[in-house]
Structure formats: C-alpha cells, structure tokens
Amino acid sequence: MSDLPHRLAEHLALNLADVHERIARAAQAAGRDAQSVMLLAVSKTFRADAVRAARAAGQRAFGENYVQEALDKIQTLADLRASLEWHFIGPLQSNKTRAVAEHFDWVHSVDRLKIAQRLSEQRPDDLPPLNVCLQVNVSGEASKSGVTVGDAAAVAQQIAALPKLKLRGLMSIPEPLGDLDAQRAPHRQLRVLFERLRVDGLALDTLSMGMSADLEAAVLEGATIVRIGTAIFGARDYSR
Ligand SMILES: *Cc1c(COP(=O)(O)O)cnc(C)c1O
C-alpha cells in the first residue's frame, strides 16, 4: 500500500504548524490573543484528499472559490460534514447563489445587495442563518470586486436586515504589496470602516483579511479570519 496519504498528512501538518506559528507571533506583536484569529485554509484547486489530510491535522475551516469544484469536494467529504466549516470566498454570480446558500456555512464575498437577498431567500429553513461578510474594495483592491468604502455602511445596514443571513463583518483582497507598512495600510482602512459600522450599531465580529503573503500585516491590523492557501497547500496549478 502506498504511504502517500500519510506523507501528505505529515506535510500539511507541518505547514499548518508554521502558519499557526506566524499567526501567534504576529498576534503577540500586536498584543492580541492568538485565539482571536481563525485560520481559514483555502483549498481551491486542491483535491478532497488534501482537505481530509488537513482535517486530520486539526484544521476545520476551508475556503473555496469555485462553486462546482467546491460542491464536488463537499460531496466527496460528506462523511466529515459535521466537523467541517465551508466558506465561500470567490466571486459569486446570481445563478450560483442557491447552491452556495444550500451547502456553505459562510460567504465572505458578498459584494452587492442583490446577491445577499438571493442568499437569504434561498437559505434552507432547516439550516442556521448563513454567515456573511461584505466584501469592500479598499483602494487598489486586486480583484476589483466589492462595494466602495463610501457605500459600505448603507449596504451593510440592508444586509443586516435580511432574515436568513447573519452579517458577521467585512472582507477585502488588497493588491499584493511588498513591505509590511504598505501591506498594513489597506487592512487598517478596512478596520477603521469596521469600527465605524460597529459604532453605527451593527453587531459585527469578523474582519476577513490577510492571505499567505500579508498574514502578519493583517493580524497586526486586527484580522479575525486569515485566508491562507499557498502557505498550507503549496502553489496552485490552474492548468488542470
Ligand atoms: C486564493 C485566495 C486566498 C488564498 O491566497 P494565498 O495567497 O494562496 O494564501 C485568499 N483569499 C481569497 C479571496 C482567495 O481567492
């Protein structure tokens, strides 16, 4: 019998430990409790085996960008469903909202009211409210998706009123920047907005920001979820 699954599990366990160490060090530098930062493992383009191995190493929350790929993985891993949290983090088209409302626990990439309304209408009654974040296009956001900082408060208030959603907070994907100070600026902008919305009365607890290359900057600026792919699973191959 091949011991490949075993080696995959070992390799992922080491990478996960490294990422937890990075989070702990950044949290300590920020005077924060490392437990206040949740690690979301971004498994897009990686096979269900990799998710299973990461789960065996203690990882619970997984992020996916492509609806069909995610549905296949969720189905393959149905035996683990109760111990996994599935987070949708990719661009979401109207015609894909039903599948996401039915199969995910979180959506980080809500970038307009219409998508939120559909997710709320389509969330099955026997499931708890879908946790969502409003994606904000902080200056120079690489993906170009997301509401503007100026529109965020109004859209957030409308989303917060939808019955089958629970608005948890804000998400952003800043453009890749080289040094720590430059990386911190857009994250700080998102945190300032987050704090303003809380003062306005929204019960938000989530700042979804930081990826493999800017995890430290995000934790220093208050991230409560970091979305990490490459540093856990390795480089992605989009050719398959
Ligand atoms: C792919 C992706 C990530 C993970 O990026 P890495 O640089 O591989 O850590 C995080 N967030 C979003 C929205 C993504 O699409």
Side-chain angles (χ1 to χ4, degrees), residues 4 33 38 57 86 96 155 164 168-169 178 184 189 217 239:
L4 262 179
D33 180 353
M38 188 187 91
W86 289 105
K96 300 280 175 63
V155 180
K164 292 295 288 177
R168 298 294 297 266
R184 286 181 71 161
Q189 222 189 328
S239 66

Side-chain angles (χ1 to χ4, degrees), residues 42 44 65 89 171 173 211-213 227-231 236:
V42 176
K44 65 175 179 228
N65 288 56
I89 64 173
M171 177 271 216
I173 313 173
M211 312 190 350
S212 292
R227 309 180 308 265
I228 308 298
T230 309
R236 285 181 290 275

